[in-house]
Amino acid sequence: MPTISMFYGILIRMYYDDHNPPHIHAIYGENEACYDFNGQTIDGKLPNKQDKLVVAWIEIHKDELEANWKLARDGEQIFKIEPLK
């Protein structure tokens, strides 16, 4: 599962050939959560502060996430996405 971004200790990853709905995996220490591209938690849980950071990042990069999802589903290489600063 490639890491597509990393900020404030949070890893953002996306699987190739993953199940629907389109989503990312956010990992912070021992915590992991899956988010759809609207910032809704699908599964898991992050601490509140990190959850808010991930949701903000998703909102900023929604178009890029959708493009990466399509590339991954087509078996093509996905690209890195700018982290929060």
Side-chain angles (χ1 to χ4, degrees):
M1 170 170 38
T3 299
I4 59 173
S5 194
M6 182 173 58
F7 50 90
Y8 303 110
I10 304 166
L11 299 175
I12 305 293
R13 296 182 173 166
M14 186 179 285
Y15 282 113
Y16 282 92
D17 196 30
D18 207 350
H19 60 86
N20 280 313
H23 63 280
I24 53 103
H25 299 258
I27 298 104
Y28 180 75
E30 300 283 323
N31 303 287
E32 182 171 352
C34 294
Y35 295 84
D36 68 19
F37 296 165
N38 293 314
Q40 298 297 314
T41 305
I42 298 171
D43 188 32
K45 185 171 174 87
L46 294 183
N48 192 42
K49 180 180 177 181
Q50 286 72 26
D51 175 72
K52 289 179 181 182
L53 291 170
V54 171
V55 170
W57 180 84
I58 289 169
E59 186 169 324
I60 293 166
H61 297 289
K62 184 175 181 174
D63 291 342
E64 294 161 283
L65 290 167
E66 290 171 350
N68 256 354
W69 185 263
K70 182 175 180 346
L71 289 170
R73 296 293 286 186
D74 293 343
E76 298 179 35
Q77 184 172 350
I78 60 177
F79 53 90
K80 302 279 186 191
I81 299 176
E82 191 73 27
L84 282 179
K85 296 180 182 178

